[in-house]
Amino acid sequence: MHRLRAIVVAVLLALVVAACSDALPEDVPAVVPTEAGADGTDTTEDGATDDAAATGPADDEEAFESPQQQPPAEEAPPAEEEPATEEAPAAPELTQVLDAGPVGANGAAYLRGDRPVVILEIDVQEGAVLSDATVEHVRSVLARESNASVEVRRGPATTTRNEAWTADQLRAAASSTRDVAHSDEVAVLHLLVLRDGYEDDGVLGLAFSSSSAVIFPDQWSDLTTALLSGGRIARAVTTHEVGHLLGLVGLYEAPTSDHEDPEHPGHTTDRDDVMYYAVERSIIATLDGIPVDFGPATRADLAAIREG
């Protein structure tokens, strides 16, 4: 039984081998195993190097026939342009403002407005009087001529009394009395209202430094009449001295027209202008009318300083 089964298996195997031999093409050459060449490379039977094996791509790499078929290089994202930085505009140079300079030297600082505020500091000595109406008149005239806003600060002046004040004594009194200082935001125009009088007899008021002036109400108390009030004299004298601190007439720069009084430098020849010389002296009472404001010529001078 076992012999019979073995014979059947052998016959079946013979039939399978015969069928496979008939299916193979007659012209397929037998494959000859390659041997390593002398230089260590694999060679075929006739000794040729198997370039395909040496240079072909790995099984998991894709072959490309030409450079045009290479995958495009990944482009780097464009560099972000840094926004152009604008240089901050330079701050405008401030006009110089002085405390102890010559009269009129601060004219531009008071008028041009590069310091946005002008402080009109008025310090009144006990016993002296300067009315609110006079203060407001001076403030409004100054505000009209200046590009800055004008604020009033009032306070007490020195307690010192001098029968005849000298310029040095006035400067000392101003230094001890003044409360507000110049800064990049503020220019100070300082007005003292003092008792007694000046060493030069007949003076009603005086600008004595680049930032300070004084008026002496005692000096005009006996000049008032039914037609000439003390209030009008006060407005005239105070406005006149403020005009000198603003640089009139010719104290800051040459006048815009030929109106400076050659006999009284710093004053105008126009009798209807508050900058007429008689306004600051006791001969004010001899005028037919007392001007309390600037005239056309001095206003043109102020405009030239302001716009300069």
Side-chain angles (χ1 to χ4, degrees):
M1 188 68 170
H2 291 292
R3 181 184 295 274
L4 179 60
R5 196 177 285 172
I7 293 171
V8 172
V9 170
V11 171
L12 290 174
L13 288 172
L15 290 173
V16 170
V17 171
C20 290
S21 298
D22 292 339
L24 288 173
E26 295 179 358
D27 56 351
V28 175
V31 177
V32 180
T34 61
E35 297 179 358
D39 59 357
T41 60
D42 289 339
T43 60
T44 59
E45 183 180 15
D46 59 3
T49 302
D50 188 354
D51 292 331
T55 62
D59 292 341
D60 58 349
E61 291 182 353
E62 185 177 358
F64 295 91
E65 294 180 358
S66 68
Q68 286 77 8
Q69 291 178 301
Q70 295 293 329
E74 186 176 348
E75 295 184 3
E80 294 185 4
E81 294 185 4
E82 296 184 2
T85 56
E86 295 184 3
E87 294 185 4
E93 185 176 350
L94 294 176
T95 305
Q96 186 180 42
V97 61
L98 304 171
D99 277 327
V103 174
N106 289 345
Y110 293 139
L111 294 170
R112 291 180 182 170
D114 47 0
R115 289 174 175 81
V117 178
V118 170
I119 298 292
L120 176 59
E121 182 177 337
I122 300 177
D123 295 323
V124 182
Q125 192 174 48
E126 186 177 0
V129 176
L130 190 68
S131 70
D132 291 343
T134 297
V135 172
E136 176 54 26
H137 171 77
V138 175
R139 187 209 66 79
S140 63
V141 169
L142 179 56
R144 182 193 68 201
E145 301 299 335
S146 176
N147 285 333
S149 62
V150 179
E151 301 176 5
V152 175
R153 305 283 176 87
R154 298 187 70 162
T158 177
T159 58
T160 301
R161 293 285 300 272
N162 285 292
E163 184 176 346
W165 290 84
T166 67
D168 286 342
Q169 289 169 338
L170 288 173
R171 283 189 280 270
S175 178
S176 65
T177 297
R178 189 169 131 190
D179 293 324
V180 186
H182 302 302
S183 71
D184 288 352
E185 301 296 320
V186 170
V188 183
L189 192 153
H190 187 205
L191 181 66
L192 290 172
V193 183
L194 300 180
R195 300 291 307 276
D196 307 308
Y198 190 56
E199 61 181 345
D200 183 355
D201 191 35
V203 170
L204 307 182
L206 178 73
F208 57 88
S209 78
S210 55
S211 60
S212 298
V214 61
I215 60 172
F216 300 107
D218 287 356
Q219 297 301 304
W220 65 71
S221 61
D222 61 348
L223 299 178
T224 60
T225 65
L227 300 177
L228 180 59
S229 69
R232 189 168 184 85
I233 296 175
R235 290 194 296 277
V237 174
T238 306
T239 305
H240 181 101
E241 300 311 330
V242 167
H244 283 316
L245 294 181
L246 297 181
L248 297 174
V249 171
L251 298 181
Y252 183 81
E253 62 186 18
T256 57
S257 62
D258 185 19
H259 68 95
E260 185 174 10
D261 186 344
E263 296 183 6
H264 304 93
H267 299 88
T268 182
T269 55
D270 183 0
R271 293 173 63 92
D272 296 324
D273 191 308
V274 76
M275 296 310 296
Y276 188 62
Y277 86 98
V279 170
E280 68 182 14
R281 305 194 67 87
S282 58
I283 59 173
I284 190 174
T286 66
L287 297 176
D288 295 336
I290 299 179
V292 296
D293 203 350
F294 305 117
T298 52
R299 291 200 65 189
D301 293 347
L302 291 172
I305 297 171
R306 181 176 63 243
E307 304 305 325

